[in-house]
Amino acid sequence: MKEPPTSFPGAADGAVVPPPLRPGDTVAVVAPCGPVDSGGVARGVRVLEGLGLKVVTGAHILDRDRYLAGSDAVRAADLSDAWCDPEVSVVFCARGGYGATRILDLLDWDALRAAGPKTLVGSSDVTALHRAFAVELGLASLFGPMPASAVISDPAGPEPRTFEHYRAALAGDPPPITGDRVIVPGEVAAPVTGGNLSLLAALCGTPYELVARGRIVLLEDVGEAPYRIDRMLVQLLQAGCLEGAAGFVLGSWVDCGDPYPVLEELLAPLGVPVIAGLPVGHGQPQLSVLLGALGAIDTKLCSLAYSIRDSSRAGWVRI
């Protein structure tokens, strides 16, 4: 097994995994991306309350400005207010869509840093926030389903497998995630990074672009034709964002046709372990990945597992 690096951008001594969620904790739900449906938010809040959590929502969570959940200023303010609230331990993004990249320059990173370690939860467009929080705050964060998404807020109840994995991941004990395809065999342990391919491509050339060196890279997307997946992967390769990657875990590719010929053509030559078919990103079920935590690819099991070591019983978990 390859040894993981001892530190990564934004943290002098390694990424910090915030404390696990416990019943009675206060959490916040905000909408930093696309507009949300009031019914979906309400159902998602009830699901979180069913875990024994106290839930507060952003003041502007139901705002709408074209394809955004309100203006850039109010979306940034809601996220900042939730993060800086000393009572809040986890901030859930209500849904993805579009808009996270627009608020990155509006966040007061010094204030967010001073608020201490908390957990950010979200996926899809929230990839931009995961990258920014990793770089600016040195924090691990949870790439997983969101309260207003169909897998959590469906009127019939959360999708069962999604919800069980979600609950375990929030409690700090994420089970292994198994795929169904090995592209390049091997074993490796390294911190996990990545997220939605479209957002990672969009972040090229910004302070928050993907840094794959010494890391396992998660990639997934939805509604992208194979030629577009090809274009975005070539962009990441040519920008140097995938240089030195320790391995790849490929999540869901819902409504993407057959992306595997392109994925194999472009990733296999990198000569590192690659597994695919993990139910992560979009679709059902939708399992959770702890970005920034130490993960391990085992291609014999076609799985991604975690090793989280608590270095101070009353404090944080450091990788």
Side-chain angles (χ1 to χ4, degrees):
M1 304 281 274
K2 296 180 181 179
E3 290 297 320
T6 56
S7 64
F8 11 172
D13 55 352
V16 172
V17 178
L21 194 57
R22 295 289 182 256
D25 284 353
T26 297
V27 302
V29 180
V30 298
C33 308
V36 299
D37 170 72
S38 59
V41 171
R43 290 190 296 272
V45 166
R46 287 196 294 270
V47 169
L48 296 177
E49 290 174 338
L51 296 175
L53 304 172
K54 300 175 184 177
V55 184
V56 297
T57 58
H60 302 277
I61 193 169
L62 297 181
D63 280 13
R64 181 182 290 265
D65 180 3
R66 299 165 294 160
Y67 40 78
L68 302 168
S71 69
D72 294 346
V74 301
R75 286 182 291 113
D78 274 8
L79 176 57
S80 295
D81 289 347
W83 194 267
C84 294
D85 184 339
E87 298 299 317
V88 169
S89 58
V90 175
V91 176
F92 291 86
C93 298
R95 60 156 293 194
Y98 170 72
T101 54
R102 293 178 56 130
I103 68 172
L104 298 181
D105 293 339
L106 300 180
L107 297 172
D108 183 342
W109 293 109
D110 288 336
L112 270 60
R113 194 173 295 112
K118 303 185 181 190
T119 301
L120 176 74
V121 182
S123 55
S124 196
D125 192 64
V126 182
T127 295
L129 292 172
H130 287 301
R131 287 297 309 139
F133 276 54
V135 172
E136 297 285 355
L137 308 182
L139 287 177
S141 52
L142 194 66
F143 188 91
M146 296 166 282
S149 66
V151 290
I152 297 297
S153 68
D154 189 279
E159 196 281 320
R161 188 178 168 199
T162 298
F163 185 61
E164 288 306 310
H165 195 272
Y166 197 45
R167 181 162 56 183
L170 290 169
D173 188 23
I177 302 174
T178 302
D180 60 15
R181 182 185 302 233
V182 175
I183 295 176
V184 180
E187 295 182 353
V188 67
V192 181
T193 189
N196 180 265
L197 176 59
S198 295
L199 269 295
L200 295 173
L203 291 170
C204 282
T206 75
Y208 311 114
E209 67 181 9
L210 178 66
V211 178
R213 183 167 299 279
R215 296 161 176 80
I216 293 169
V217 180
L218 165 69
L219 297 173
E220 64 82 28
D221 220 315
V222 60
E224 299 289 353
Y227 82 91
R228 292 173 62 89
I229 293 171
D230 184 320
R231 184 177 67 200
M232 291 184 285
L233 277 176
V234 169
Q235 181 180 7
L236 291 175
L237 287 163
Q238 292 180 342
C241 294
L242 300 183
E243 287 182 4
F248 291 88
V249 291
L250 305 179
S252 60
W253 303 91
V254 175
D255 296 330
C256 291
D258 180 5
Y260 287 111
V262 168
L263 293 167
E264 292 188 27
E265 177 188 6
L266 295 177
L267 297 180
L270 300 181
V272 297
V274 182
I275 59 174
L278 283 73
V280 174
H282 293 81
Q284 297 190 29
Q286 194 179 123
L287 307 190
S288 303
V289 171
L290 190 57
L291 299 176
L294 180 64
I297 292 175
D298 184 339
T299 56
K300 292 180 181 177
L301 300 175
C302 196
S303 70
L304 172 68
Y306 289 95
S307 175
I308 302 175
R309 299 188 294 271
D310 191 351
S311 61
S312 60
R313 294 183 181 179
W316 309 333
V317 180
R318 293 188 182 274
I319 307 305

